[in-house]
């Protein structure tokens, strides 16, 4: 593995887990309870739960391509958004958080070990680095919305503070 590949992989890892520019992904979610996860605000089209499920949908889509499988694009982007506004239970909510964080861990493992300029078999014109960057930016975008909703609901900062660490 070249030095440039390794250095870029390290930069991707920082983007995937959150650093400098925002709180670590793993610190922004676990203290959200089931009630807050499903809460709707008149000015926002979705709940925290819906945001996280949408993030999982696209993260999983991209991870499958990174792992050599062919994911099918949805017929309509709305298919990537759940209809239900919240989880059925605290346990179900924690399972959603864990599913998301496990996906982040899979992306990190790929960023640390893959040849990042390698093309993807089922995603013409895209590289492993490109999809990892896409996962990081998509998650970062929606994590910002989750933080904004938490601020609106008076549930920010999380225990331990809301600054990057």
């Amino acid at each position: 593995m070249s030095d440039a590949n390794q250095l870029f992989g390290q930069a991707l890892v920082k983007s995937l887990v959150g650093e400098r520019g925002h709180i670590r992904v793993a610190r922004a979610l676990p203290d959200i309870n089931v009630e807050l996860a499903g809460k709707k605000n008149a000015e926002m089209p979705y709940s925290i739960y819906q945001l996280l499920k949408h993030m999982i949908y696209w993260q999983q889509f991209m991870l499958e391509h990174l792992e050599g499988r062919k994911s099918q694009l949805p017929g309509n982007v709305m298919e990537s958004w759940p209809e239900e506004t919240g989880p059925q239970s605290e346990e179900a909510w924690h399972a959603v958080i864990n599913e998301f964080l496990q996906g982040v861990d899979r992306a990190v493992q790929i960023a640390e070990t893959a040849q990042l300029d390698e093309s993807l078999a089922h995603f013409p014109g895209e590289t492993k680095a490109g999809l990892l960057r896409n996962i990081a930016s998509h998650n970062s975008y929606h994590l910002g919305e989750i933080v904004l909703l938490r601020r609106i609901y008076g549930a920010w900062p999380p225990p331990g503070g809301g600054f990057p660490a």
Side-chain angles (χ1 to χ4, degrees), residues 95-110:
V96 169
I97 293 170
N98 287 335
E99 180 181 4
F100 174 72
L101 294 176
Q102 287 171 3
V104 171
D105 288 345
R106 283 170 53 206
V108 164
Q109 194 273 333
I110 294 166

Side-chain angles (χ1 to χ4, degrees), residues 1-143:
M1 186 179 300
S2 71
D3 288 345
N5 188 86
Q6 188 173 13
L7 290 171
F8 190 61
Q10 290 169 358
L12 282 169
V13 167
K14 289 178 182 176
S15 295
L16 287 162
V17 299
E19 53 86 37
R20 295 190 185 150
H22 59 79
I23 190 169
R24 287 188 172 272
V25 173
R27 285 192 44 227
L29 302 170
D31 67 302
I32 298 172
N33 65 30
V34 68
E35 180 183 344
L36 181 60
K39 191 172 184 176
K40 288 283 284 191
N41 181 296
E43 288 79 32
M44 292 292 283
Y46 29 67
S47 67
I48 291 171
Y49 170 80
Q50 289 170 312
L51 279 163
L52 194 56
K53 290 290 283 188
H54 171 79
M55 292 162 72
I56 290 168
Y57 183 97
W58 288 109
Q59 180 172 262
Q60 181 62 30
F61 174 87
M62 290 181 268
L63 284 168
E64 286 175 9
H65 277 287
L66 286 162
E67 293 168 343
R69 295 187 303 280
K70 183 176 183 176
S71 292
Q72 193 63 35
L73 276 171
N76 183 308
V77 73
M78 291 310 295
E79 293 176 33
S80 69
W81 292 95
E83 289 185 29
E84 67 278 4
T85 59
Q88 298 299 313
S89 66
E90 201 71 47
E91 295 78 26
W93 171 236
H94 286 290
V96 169
I97 293 170
N98 287 335
E99 180 181 4
F100 174 72
L101 294 176
Q102 287 171 3
V104 171
D105 288 345
R106 283 170 53 206
V108 164
Q109 194 273 333
I110 294 166
E112 290 175 334
T113 60
Q115 183 60 42
L116 298 172
D117 61 354
E118 185 178 315
S119 296
L120 300 171
H122 304 291
F123 207 121
E126 188 60 85
T127 63
K128 289 184 176 185
L131 271 193
L132 288 165
R133 184 215 47 84
N134 199 333
I135 291 171
S137 63
H138 186 254
N139 285 350
S140 180
Y141 176 87
H142 289 301
L143 182 66

